[in-house]
Amino acid sequence: MLKITARTIASSSTRYHLDHRNGSSAYLENFRLFLEYFSLALMFRLLLLGNPLVHVDEEFYLLVADRWAHGALPFVDIWDRKPLGLFLLYRLFHSLPGDPVLTYQLCGIASTAAAALVVRALALELAPARGAWLAGLVYICAMPAFNCALGQSPVFYNPLVALAALLLLRAWQRADAANLLREGSAIMLLIGLALQIKYAAVFEGWPWA
């Protein structure tokens, strides 16, 4: 079992470096995969788009953003136990042109697609390309089962936590520790940003310490 695991990790590390050397072609491939996941997530959630009553939490986050835009202050004039980062996100969605409901929902779908892309990259450590792609698809399909179809906080912090896990894996795969401080700082920054969206992300980040 240990030999199989080591061989899998070694081959994955090699594949990573090959992709890194390919440069622009690797970026184009990732962009293509992102568009695939975005399109599938959009189709899977199409009937919900534009509906302001998808979930009471999302209604409240958008309400806070609207009141903030009209002079009210979070945690002063209107209060919730969620971190400020989540309301900053919705404040950004509210400030963009167009329908703020549709804006936050499309941004949530893009965030889901980004997380699916990272899930695929993690799954490549154990599965062939097709199986890894399906792992990303399973993530897209499973999120609504946890009431996270469009704008709930995990929709936005999951990509940060998943990317932190991927960076940690890449750092562990390398034999040298030349960039360990920089990589460790990036990982902690990602988890810190996730904590500013939902405090519960601490339980996903602290075991890596």
Side-chain angles (χ1 to χ4, degrees):
M1 177 63 72
L2 289 176
K3 291 182 179 178
I4 294 173
T5 304
R7 190 181 302 116
T8 302
I9 292 172
S11 64
S12 300
S13 180
T14 302
R15 178 174 60 248
Y16 167 71
H17 288 298
L18 286 172
D19 287 346
H20 183 69
R21 284 197 296 266
N22 285 338
S24 59
S25 62
Y27 286 119
L28 287 174
E29 175 66 9
N30 285 331
F31 183 66
R32 181 187 66 81
L33 289 166
F34 171 81
L35 290 179
E36 286 183 3
Y37 283 136
F38 181 87
S39 300
L40 289 167
L42 181 63
M43 287 189 292
F44 198 62
R45 293 154 172 77
L46 197 57
L47 292 178
L48 298 176
L49 281 184
N51 183 357
L53 306 176
V54 173
H55 197 286
V56 64
D57 286 349
E58 297 169 25
E59 295 176 53
F60 179 73
Y61 304 152
L62 201 58
L63 172 67
V64 173
D66 180 73
R67 293 294 183 269
W68 195 353
H70 289 87
L73 293 177
F75 308 110
V76 177
D77 301 305
I78 188 166
W79 187 88
D80 189 63
R81 56 189 172 82
K82 294 293 195 305
L84 182 62
L86 181 60
F87 299 115
L88 279 171
L89 272 177
Y90 271 82
R91 180 67 182 86
L92 174 62
F93 302 151
H94 190 277
S95 67
L96 295 175
D99 181 3
V101 173
L102 194 59
T103 299
Y104 93 75
Q105 291 174 349
L106 288 174
C107 289
I109 290 173
S111 184
T112 298
L117 191 63
V118 182
V119 168
R120 173 191 171 274
L122 288 165
L124 279 172
E125 303 298 324
L126 301 172
R130 182 178 297 180
W133 185 88
L134 288 173
L137 180 61
V138 168
Y139 173 82
I140 290 172
C141 297
M143 285 293 281
F146 298 94
N147 289 323
C148 295
L150 293 169
Q152 285 282 63
S153 55
V155 171
F156 300 110
Y157 79 74
N158 279 354
L160 301 173
V161 174
L163 184 57
L166 181 62
L167 291 178
L168 181 65
L169 179 63
R170 297 304 186 214
W172 179 76
Q173 287 174 335
R174 278 190 284 272
D176 64 277
N179 299 317
L180 191 59
L181 179 60
R182 184 177 65 184
E183 292 167 343
S185 298
I187 291 167
M188 289 188 288
L189 175 62
L190 288 167
I191 295 299
L193 290 173
L195 284 169
Q196 295 308 307
I197 298 175
K198 189 169 185 177
Y199 298 127
V202 68
F203 298 108
E204 301 176 40
W206 78 265
W208 304 346

